[in-house]
Amino acid sequence: MTGDIARARDLLDHATSVAVLTGAGISAESGIPTFRDALTGLWEKFRPEELATPEAFEANPKLVWDWYAWRRGVVAKAQPNAGHRALADLERQCRGHEVDFTLVTQNVDGLHREAGSQRVVELHGNIRRVKCFDRHHPVESWPEGDHVPTCPRCGSLLRPDVVWFGEAMPPEVLATAVAAARTCDVFLCVGTSTVVEPAASLPFLALDSGARVIEVNPQATPLTGRASVSLRGTAGAILPLLV
Ligand code: APR
């Protein structure tokens, strides 16, 4: 492992452009359950197609709203961990050496920004934001109560401003992530199962464009076989050693 850490550091030290992709794993040590890990994953208790789709919301808005309210509560109590902080440090170091840096995250918890990361591309939105279902009007505050609150402008139901299964992500957000993957020479992939598209394709796009990939994950993923360095451990333990 020490040799692998040294190799990963060497790749980062010689990079001229770094892209990072994070998934639920990086926030696990902040107490936010991941989606697909056995027993602890959120999806073990709830079927995603029952909760994280526009159809599910239309069928049972209260169930979906309450589930997100619960998740928002978990996120509100969470603090960035050593992994988030290490990525913020990496960004500062890259900027200090005029190395391009883009952090792309699938997470909706906002913890990267809280840790001090600046150039953050939130592919799946942010659970702390709310918008209305029909017209996507952003809404800053809403009453808590037994009913799903409604939009003050158009009266439609409120929903989290996240990207649900079956929904497209904003094109400019995806374009920024794709450009970062295509132009980086080192791609660091942290805490994602790399199964949900289009995020899952980003490290492969980087590989096809000639980048070297470093993976940080306690478990093997579809990416592991193609990574230049695969660091098997948690983000909170490994990332501070890299930076
Ligand atoms: N540090 C690093 N990685 C970890 C840690 C940790 N402490 N704990 C778990 N992991 C790894 C797991 O091994 C797994 O590979 O994090 C990954 C979590 O995978 P998923 O739960 O599938 O999360 P993610 O890849 O972010 O899911 C993608 O799917 O459900 C949708 O929109 C949701 O953004 C999410 C997307």
Side-chain angles (χ1 to χ4, degrees):
M1 177 63 103
T2 319
D4 285 341
I5 299 273
R7 281 202 297 139
R9 283 174 66 149
D10 192 55
L11 287 176
L12 286 168
D13 282 349
H14 291 93
T16 58
S17 176
V18 174
V20 183
L21 174 67
T22 65
I26 196 168
S27 294
E29 287 154 281
S30 294
I32 300 175
T34 63
F35 294 100
R36 289 176 188 80
D37 288 325
L39 301 175
T40 58
L42 288 176
W43 292 160
E44 295 295 315
K45 291 182 214 140
F46 305 96
R47 300 223 322 271
E49 59 276 16
E50 280 171 353
L51 298 168
T53 69
E55 294 76 23
F57 186 79
E58 283 184 298
N60 194 341
K62 172 89 173 113
L63 176 71
V64 176
W65 176 263
D66 284 352
W67 186 59
Y68 276 95
W70 172 72
R71 289 181 58 195
R72 213 180 291 118
V74 172
V75 164
K77 284 194 225 105
Q79 299 288 327
N81 64 53
H84 296 106
R85 289 194 296 275
L87 291 180
D89 284 346
L90 180 62
E91 179 175 13
R92 277 190 287 274
Q93 286 177 18
C94 284
R95 295 215 181 290
H97 293 89
E98 293 185 2
V99 171
D100 280 342
F101 183 94
T102 305
L103 171 52
V104 179
T105 187
Q106 298 164 87
N107 299 345
V108 295
D109 55 36
L111 290 181
H112 284 302
R113 278 186 216 281
E114 249 184 69
S117 287
Q118 291 187 358
R119 187 168 160 81
V120 183
V121 180
E122 291 179 321
L123 280 180
H124 294 168
N126 192 309
I127 199 172
R128 300 169 198 236
R129 290 193 309 257
V130 162
K131 64 181 182 180
C132 76
F133 187 78
D134 287 350
R135 312 275 297 276
H136 304 274
H137 293 134
V139 176
E140 294 290 330
S141 61
W142 54 89
E144 301 294 347
D146 289 342
H147 301 287
V148 180
T150 53
C151 177
R153 284 167 72 187
C154 69
S156 106
L157 294 175
L158 299 189
R159 57 160 283 180
D161 191 0
V162 299
V163 178
W164 279 333
F165 289 106
E167 289 185 321
M169 51 192 65
E172 66 284 0
V173 171
L174 183 58
T176 308
V178 166
R182 279 220 177 98
T183 56
C184 71
D185 47 17
V186 174
F187 190 102
L188 175 60
C189 196
V190 184
T192 172
S193 52
T194 55
V195 292
V196 175
E197 295 292 355
S201 288
L202 293 172
F204 295 96
L205 199 58
L207 283 166
D208 292 346
S209 308
R212 312 292 292 276
V213 168
I214 303 167
E215 183 178 54
V216 178
N217 199 310
Q219 293 178 26
T221 74
L223 179 65
T224 304
R226 296 196 59 197
S228 290
V229 188
S230 185
L231 299 168
R232 212 46 75 74
T234 69
I238 301 276
L239 289 177
L241 302 176
L242 284 187
V243 181

